[in-house]
Amino acid sequence: MNITIIGTGYVGLVTGTCFAEMGNTVTCVDIDQEKIDSLNKGIIPIYEPGLEELIQQNEKAGRLSFSTSLKDAMKKSHIFLIAVGTPESPNGEANMEYVYNVAKEIGKHLDRESVIVNKSTVPVGTAGKVSSIIEEELDKRGVKVKFHVVSNPEFLKEGNAIQDFMRPDRVIIGTDSEFALDILKQLYAPFTMSHDRLIIMGVKEAELTKYAANAMLATKISFINEIAHICDELEIDVESVRKGIGADSRIGYSFIYPGAGYGGSCFPKDVKAIIHTAKKAGVNPLVLQSVVARNEIQKTRMFEYLQIGRAHV
């Protein structure tokens, strides 16, 4: 298949490279000329084990290329994956500027029945908004072109992203289009041959699933840090407690290691985004707000601990 990936950040590069590795022809598009020039020179803007070698192999084989022209890439593709950033706005809402700009550009050049896949982490209702923007652009051109907007969230862990993509524990496809579903089933077939990992649901359900997954993991982190604080005050070994609760298969050991709290590019903004979504829907998200509050306390505690440590050096 001929695929266009829009956005050459972490998700876009891993996704495009892994699809190319499975024999597809992939063009990764980005508006950042400097980044595209670097990629064409073999300079990778991120570090992910195994990624650089895979990019080089697939470029050499002619299956992977990089461009700043979405218009040109669209001439040879009918599958478009949006993988641009959705950074946090001042009010905690996801900034959808980049996603909507991509939708507008797709609408300006769309000329055949296509599948548009939201790979970015986006709020509930984004697929509908993307569809409206594309339709508006088509109307301005006075043309009618059939298209299908799908939600296909990513679940990649930094440091293990290639493995996560090649051997996923689940592939979530949110769509009500049989045409789009058939395309994505073909696209993901090489990654789900040994086990049926596909989970099919509605578009809005898929959009919320990504946020809910990250919020659940952040909750586990905040929970164990609160238990660790209790253990400190009671002079209890939290590691023993952690082993005791982790042995329960319903809980497990992942994400219950006491530490500095959650951070990075995803968890903080995604937890705040789902809180914002809940409030807009008239729901008071008590647990999620407590997760954020606990995390802020933990960061303060760790800062104070480090300051005390420096004072004794």
Side-chain angles (χ1 to χ4, degrees):
M1 292 187 179
N2 288 313
I3 306 165
T4 298
I5 307 287
I6 305 156
T8 59
Y10 188 84
V11 174
L13 278 180
V14 171
T15 300
T17 303
C18 289
F19 278 139
E21 179 69 8
M22 290 297 107
N24 299 288
T25 301
V26 179
T27 304
C28 291
V29 177
D30 201 292
I31 60 172
D32 188 333
Q33 183 69 60
E34 186 177 345
K35 183 185 283 189
I36 293 300
D37 289 343
S38 295
L39 284 164
N40 281 323
K41 293 174 184 175
I43 302 170
I44 314 304
I46 61 172
Y47 176 72
E48 178 63 33
L51 182 60
E52 183 174 355
E53 293 81 3
L54 278 183
I55 288 176
Q56 291 172 351
Q57 289 170 21
N58 283 281
E59 272 194 290
K60 187 175 181 180
R63 293 189 297 265
L64 181 63
S65 60
F66 303 97
S67 173
T68 56
S69 176
L70 178 56
K71 181 180 179 181
D72 289 345
M74 290 181 68
K75 292 176 182 177
K76 52 188 177 183
S77 175
H78 70 287
I79 306 171
F80 309 103
L81 279 77
I82 302 174
V84 296
T86 53
E88 182 185 342
S89 296
N91 65 352
E93 187 176 14
N95 182 343
M96 299 303 296
E97 174 187 359
Y98 306 113
V99 172
Y100 295 156
N101 284 345
V102 170
K104 185 174 287 190
E105 285 300 306
I106 290 174
K108 287 178 180 178
H109 307 295
L110 198 67
D111 62 359
R112 72 196 75 178
E113 185 170 9
S114 300
V115 177
I116 294 95
V117 182
N118 270 332
K119 203 74 175 158
S120 301
T121 302
V122 296
V124 174
T126 297
K129 179 64 175 175
V130 166
S131 294
S132 296
I133 292 171
I134 294 173
E135 200 65 64
E136 281 178 27
E137 293 301 319
L138 292 174
D139 289 343
K140 288 178 186 177
R141 294 164 53 200
V143 297
K144 291 288 183 184
V145 181
K146 199 168 185 179
F147 64 91
H148 313 261
V149 180
V150 176
S151 177
N152 174 221
E154 55 84 18
F155 300 96
L156 306 177
K157 297 186 294 293
E158 290 189 20
N160 200 57
I162 302 295
Q163 181 77 6
D164 286 344
F165 200 99
M166 293 294 195
R167 295 178 176 81
D169 51 13
R170 81 279 208 200
V171 174
I172 291 179
I173 300 174
T175 184
D176 57 3
S177 162
E178 289 298 325
F179 177 87
L181 181 58
D182 181 60
I183 293 290
L184 288 182
K185 279 183 174 180
Q186 292 179 53
L187 190 58
Y188 278 106
F191 308 100
T192 58
M193 290 178 68
S194 58
H195 295 87
D196 185 6
R197 305 293 190 184
L198 294 180
I199 302 176
I200 315 301
M201 59 181 70
V203 176
K204 290 183 178 180
E205 285 79 3
E207 290 171 336
L208 187 60
T209 295
K210 170 63 178 180
Y211 280 118
N214 279 358
M216 182 69 240
L217 296 174
T219 300
K220 292 184 75 173
I221 293 169
S222 284
F223 172 81
I224 195 62
N225 280 330
E226 187 150 292
I227 295 299
H229 194 175
I230 295 169
C231 287
D232 285 346
E233 298 304 317
L234 296 176
E235 297 183 349
I236 290 172
D237 177 19
V238 68
E239 180 62 13
S240 295
V241 175
R242 187 190 70 79
K243 289 179 179 177
I245 64 174
D248 188 325
S249 60
R250 296 168 300 175
I251 298 171
Y253 290 107
S254 63
F255 287 83
I256 58 166
Y257 292 89
Y262 62 81
S265 60
C266 294
F267 283 8
K269 75 177 183 67
D270 289 353
V271 176
K272 289 177 183 176
I274 195 172
I275 288 172
H276 187 274
T277 297
K279 288 182 175 178
K280 280 182 68 176
V283 176
N284 187 15
L286 296 174
V287 172
L288 295 175
Q289 290 176 129
S290 296
V291 167
V292 174
R294 175 67 247 179
N295 200 55
E296 291 302 314
I297 290 170
Q298 189 66 15
K299 288 192 290 185
T300 301
R301 289 188 72 223
M302 291 303 294
F303 177 77
E304 291 173 349
Y305 174 79
L306 290 172
Q307 291 298 101
I308 292 170
R310 289 194 186 99
H312 286 85
V313 173

